[in-house]
Amino acid sequence: MRPTDAAEEGLVLRPASPHDRPAMAVVQRRARVVAAMPDVTLATAAQELAQGWDGDEFWVAQERGEVVGYVRLVRPDAMREGWLDDLYVLPEAAGRGVGTALLDLVKGLLRDGFGLWVHASNSSARAFYRARGLDEVELVPAWESPRGESEVRVTWRRVPPVGGLA
């Protein structure tokens, strides 16, 4: 998929570059605070982004040249399904279609479907994904979660057109 430019909204989606990582770390940290998720320092967020840089795929959403959101995804292969690791949007950009545009991008890139984990306490993210056709398929209680917090596994599967033609 190539970068997109939704001119009427002024939103640009493009593959992320290493130069975007500091801004992406800020987006992640600020979004996590508003969503009442476990806090991370900017250094930790930047380190996690750097660790996945060679294997994962990152896209950013820009408005007026500024990074306002990003996604991190894993393409499927013989060993794993497609996966959405991160979808974060700056709090002040929420409600303007940035998250939806990023999620639609992921649906286009991972056409056969994907999964993701959401903190069970993050009711706004859960509602966001449900409203966009994703299904909650598993609840992992805190005592079973490696993060020590209850999590919900969410999936999206493309519905084939009637007659099974793609």
Side-chain angles (χ1 to χ4, degrees):
M1 181 164 271
R2 59 187 176 79
T4 60
D5 184 353
E8 63 276 359
E9 291 94 23
L11 184 67
V12 175
L13 304 179
R14 63 167 177 78
S17 77
H19 299 291
D20 294 314
R21 285 198 306 241
M24 293 163 65
V26 168
V27 169
Q28 182 186 140
R29 184 162 195 283
R30 292 189 51 212
R32 290 175 70 98
V33 169
V34 170
M37 294 172 63
D39 195 11
V40 295
T41 65
L42 282 176
T44 299
Q47 180 181 15
E48 290 175 358
L49 290 167
Q51 287 172 345
W53 204 259
D54 290 332
D56 298 346
E57 186 172 336
F58 295 86
W59 287 72
V60 293
Q62 285 184 302
E63 288 180 333
R64 295 175 298 284
E66 191 169 325
V67 174
V68 295
Y70 80 91
V71 292
R72 173 186 195 162
L73 61 103
V74 177
R75 299 266 186 175
D77 60 26
M79 301 299 291
R80 60 186 178 191
E81 68 178 316
W83 201 257
L84 174 57
D85 272 337
D86 295 345
L87 191 162
Y88 290 107
V89 175
L90 283 175
E92 59 270 24
R96 297 200 308 244
V98 176
T100 299
L102 287 166
L103 184 61
D104 287 345
L105 172 73
V106 173
K107 287 178 177 179
L109 293 169
L110 301 177
R111 294 182 47 83
D112 290 331
F114 58 90
L116 64 132
W117 289 105
V118 177
H119 289 272
S121 62
N122 192 345
S123 57
S124 60
R126 292 174 70 182
F128 171 83
Y129 291 121
R130 275 193 307 270
R132 286 152 186 84
L134 283 73
D135 298 308
E136 294 185 353
V137 296
E138 179 184 10
L139 173 64
V140 176
W143 64 86
E144 291 181 15
S145 169
R147 294 187 175 115
E149 296 199 16
S150 296
E151 297 180 290
V152 178
R153 187 166 63 96
V154 178
T155 62
W156 178 79
R157 301 286 178 249
R158 182 174 61 92
V159 177
V162 176
L165 301 176

